[in-house]
Amino acid sequence: MTTLPPGSTIGIIGGGQLGRMLSIAAAQIGYRCHIFAPEESGPAADVCAKWVQGDYSDSAALAAFADDVDVVTFEFENVEPDPLRSIAAHAPLYPPIDALEIGQDRIREKTFAADCGARTADWAEVNSRADLDAAITKIGTPAILKTTRFGYDGKGQARIIKLGDADIAWDALSDAGTLILEKMVPFAHEFSLLIARDQQGSIAFWDAPENVHKDGILATSTVPAHPKVLEQVPAARALARRIAEKLNYVGVFAIEFFASDEGPVFNEMAPRVHNSGHWTIEGAVTSQFENHIRAVIGLPLGGTKLAAPGVEMRNLIGADADKWLEWASDPLTHLHLYGKHEARAGRKMGHITRLTGL
Ligand code: AMP
């Protein structure tokens, strides 16, 4: 392992708000970030040293990008893995592409997690209308039909509460390739784990936030979580450790769980920094963004303990961000806006974090 010295350049694939917050964390400790993204500009453009516009499938452009930096990472996982492999000959790439590939496909992800000892929702693969009927018979209702690839923020999902909903769900998703039918898990609480692993193999966890989703989009993350979640954190962490080690992971990743009566149920993992970890910027000794940067440049991880007795993060979705002056005028609120120009419904425009109990 070699530790890159300050002044080195980190290449980031993807230029959204995660790239923006990674670039800010890198700049704070003296590193520069170059962004590679297909758009002309994006939330990371305001804070990075260089923005390279290129297609994620353009291996030559990715290789040229990698030649210009000292290490490459990614903040966006819906990228075809093969072109990314061309980076390896030009610069080290963290996290491993295997993690990206597994996280891109809900079936691979659930199979991999189960191999590592996870409990998952009952599920079945669906490739035809007949498969869907068979899956409903096997799994029962209520269930959720999901695309296996490229779903995010609740997109690419249709609920099947009763048998009669199958036609509508099929019509909505049948063009999206292989689908997965998942049994609805009864749960009172959702939580996630944020995990960092450095190049020496040291692992750190932050406190597990309890997450509330609205319309499939994360609304709030709160620490400490409900006692019922806290009971399940040790089992969830043991699983996360097995996953991190099996993948020889370097960087930060997140796993989302349902806290069911039977214990933690693995929902999905993201091989990157995660929205449910934004609270760590002010709420922990070291943020998820800084620890991801530390891991990829070869530094040891920073501490992950809480910086306050409690922390609440709320996403500003669409028009929520119009109240920026109100949030900015509250001395207990940290306002984060991502510099997006258009506040479309369902679009993450920023977030606010409050430290509580101080
Ligand atoms: P996902 O895109 O899989 O994270 O789904 C978005 C949200 O939908 C989750 O955070 C849950 O609130 C809900 N959800 C997804 N899958 C299930 C399931 N199998 N059982 C219960 N709720 C689910």
Side-chain angles (χ1 to χ4, degrees), residues 48-342:
C48 66
K50 189 174 173 184
W51 180 281
V52 178
Q53 190 177 8
D55 200 291
Y56 292 137
S57 60
D58 185 343
S59 302
L62 285 165
F65 175 74
D67 273 335
D68 205 22
V69 301
D70 299 298
V71 64
V72 180
T73 187
F74 47 83
E75 61 97 78
F76 178 70
E77 75 268 38
N78 286 336
V79 183
E80 285 304 332
D82 278 344
L84 277 193
R85 286 182 212 286
S86 63
I87 285 178
H90 302 264
L93 173 67
Y94 304 109
I97 296 181
D98 286 355
L100 179 91
E101 264 193 302
I102 290 168
Q104 282 177 341
D105 182 311
R106 289 186 191 273
I107 290 179
R108 277 192 73 174
E109 184 176 71
K110 282 196 171 43
T111 309
F112 174 79
D115 286 348
C116 292
R119 178 186 290 108
T120 69
D122 289 341
W123 62 271
E125 184 173 332
V126 173
N127 286 302
S128 66
R129 184 66 183 80
D131 280 0
L132 179 57
D133 284 339
I136 294 172
T137 306
K138 179 176 160 212
I139 287 171
T141 53
I144 310 188
L145 188 63
K146 298 182 181 178
T147 56
T148 49
R149 296 174 69 80
F150 301 134
Y152 68 99
D153 285 348
K155 293 185 175 64
Q157 304 194 4
R159 294 192 177 208
I160 301 182
I161 307 300
K162 50 182 187 336
L163 261 180
D165 299 335
D167 280 330
I168 298 169
W170 176 253
D171 288 345
L173 299 179
S174 58
D175 289 340
T178 299
L179 305 174
I180 179 172
L181 187 73
E182 282 180 30
K183 177 92 175 169
M184 287 272 266
V185 176
F187 64 84
H189 306 277
E190 279 189 85
F191 70 101
S192 54
L193 283 188
L194 303 152
I195 307 112
R197 186 168 182 271
D198 68 17
Q199 292 182 29
Q200 313 272 38
S202 295
I203 289 181
F205 294 100
W206 284 266
D207 283 59
E210 176 163 350
N211 302 322
V212 174
H213 291 82
K214 285 197 185 119
D215 302 324
I217 304 176
L218 182 68
T220 59
S221 294
T222 307
V223 173
H226 190 275
K228 179 144 188 212
V229 168
L230 298 182
E231 263 168 31
Q232 304 198 358
V233 168
R237 283 186 174 180
L239 170 72
R241 189 174 281 279
R242 288 194 292 276
I243 289 178
E245 281 166 2
K246 198 158 178 178
L247 291 168
N248 197 16
Y249 199 91
V250 172
V252 167
F253 71 106
I255 307 182
E256 294 184 74
F257 292 94
F258 306 126
S260 80
D261 287 343
E262 282 76 48
V265 176
F266 172 101
N267 177 30
E268 61 180 0
M269 60 186 262
R272 53 166 170 76
V273 284
H274 193 254
N275 193 171
S276 67
H278 290 1
W279 62 271
T280 60
I281 296 176
E282 293 90 5
V285 173
T286 311
S287 75
Q288 62 165 350
F289 300 101
E290 180 172 334
N291 263 347
H292 184 78
I293 294 292
R294 283 171 165 266
V296 304
I297 60 182
L299 275 176
L301 300 173
T304 49
K305 283 203 173 129
L306 289 181
V311 195
E312 292 169 2
M313 187 288 305
R314 182 181 148 186
N315 269 337
L316 302 179
I317 313 274
D320 290 348
D322 294 349
K323 292 199 214 140
W324 58 271
L325 188 53
E326 193 180 307
W327 309 124
S329 306
D330 177 351
L332 295 177
T333 297
H334 292 276
L335 173 66
H336 295 253
L337 291 174
Y338 305 148
K340 295 181 183 176
H341 302 301
E342 204 191 332

